[in-house]
Amino acid sequence: MTDVLIRPARPFDAAFAVPLIQATIGRIGYALTGVTDDVAAERTLLGFYPLRGNRLSFEHQFIAQSPTGEPLGLILAYPGEHAEALDDPFRERLHALGLPGRIESEGTPGELYVDTLAVTEAARGQGIGARLLDAAVERAATLGLHQVGLLVEDGNPAARLYARKGFRPAGTRALAGGTYTHLVRDVG
């Protein structure tokens, strides 16, 4: 789809973005919010979305939309060196719930970390994920970062897209009870 617009997210995108994010991150959303089901996680994440200074804030996202304004997908990415600080609001929530505030930060210093890439089911296979990854590479260049990084779980069909877009393995990480491959792509 060549006429897709990629734009910065805004706070009012929460109703579209939060369910798509939670559907994509699953157990990581549970670990961040201290809950054990998607509905409760979405409810909690809706509160964080319009706020700045947390990893799932609108300020770190781009939305892909059709010419008629229909949202089709999103990419959530932030500088890896900010990962620890962006998780602090979630740690505070976990402590307030009487839970351990241990959150494994995902980003690596020096990279723009793609936390979430998600496309609606109806819009998959149309090149929207590739366009969103291109936006992340452009964002990394704008910020003076030399790499874009992300984590992918074994068996995730998006791994084929990442390979086509020039991402290569750079190790593995354990996170929220799963094992992920850290993929990186050089910028420029």
Side-chain angles (χ1 to χ4, degrees), residues 114-152:
V114 175
D115 184 289
T116 307
L117 172 65
V119 176
T120 63
E121 192 171 334
R124 291 182 188 148
Q126 300 177 35
I128 294 165
R131 294 275 309 276
L132 287 162
L133 284 170
D134 290 343
V137 170
E138 290 173 26
R139 178 79 175 136
T142 299
L143 295 172
L145 298 170
H146 301 291
Q147 255 181 3
V148 176
L150 55 88
L151 298 178
V152 64

Side-chain angles (χ1 to χ4, degrees), residues 15 38 46 61 68-69 74 96 142 147 149 152 160:
D38 288 332
L46 281 168
Q61 297 179 43
T68 62
L74 63 84
T142 299
Q147 255 181 3
V152 64
R160 291 187 305 274

Side-chain angles (χ1 to χ4, degrees), residues 27 29 63 70 72-73 87 89 92 98 105 112 134 137 171 177-178:
R27 66 177 169 251
I63 303 286
E70 175 190 4
L72 305 169
D87 285 338
E92 291 171 17
S105 292
L112 182 71
D134 290 343
V137 170

Side-chain angles (χ1 to χ4, degrees), residues 3-87:
D3 50 355
V4 170
L5 170 69
I6 307 293
R7 63 164 175 83
R10 298 181 285 253
F12 65 77
D13 289 313
F16 164 73
V18 168
L20 192 57
I21 292 168
Q22 180 55 35
T24 303
I25 67 173
R27 66 177 169 251
I28 295 170
Y30 306 153
L32 291 173
T33 61
V35 300
T36 57
D37 68 87
D38 288 332
V39 172
E42 286 177 25
R43 189 175 310 122
T44 301
L45 297 178
L46 281 168
F48 282 98
Y49 189 87
L51 304 176
R52 295 179 182 274
N54 73 82
R55 80 153 76 177
L56 300 181
S57 171
F58 75 95
E59 70 183 325
H60 306 296
Q61 297 179 43
F62 287 101
I63 303 286
Q65 71 181 38
S66 73
T68 62
E70 175 190 4
L72 305 169
L74 63 84
I75 194 161
L76 165 61
Y78 46 82
E81 61 266 13
H82 297 166
E84 185 83 18
L86 291 172
D87 285 338

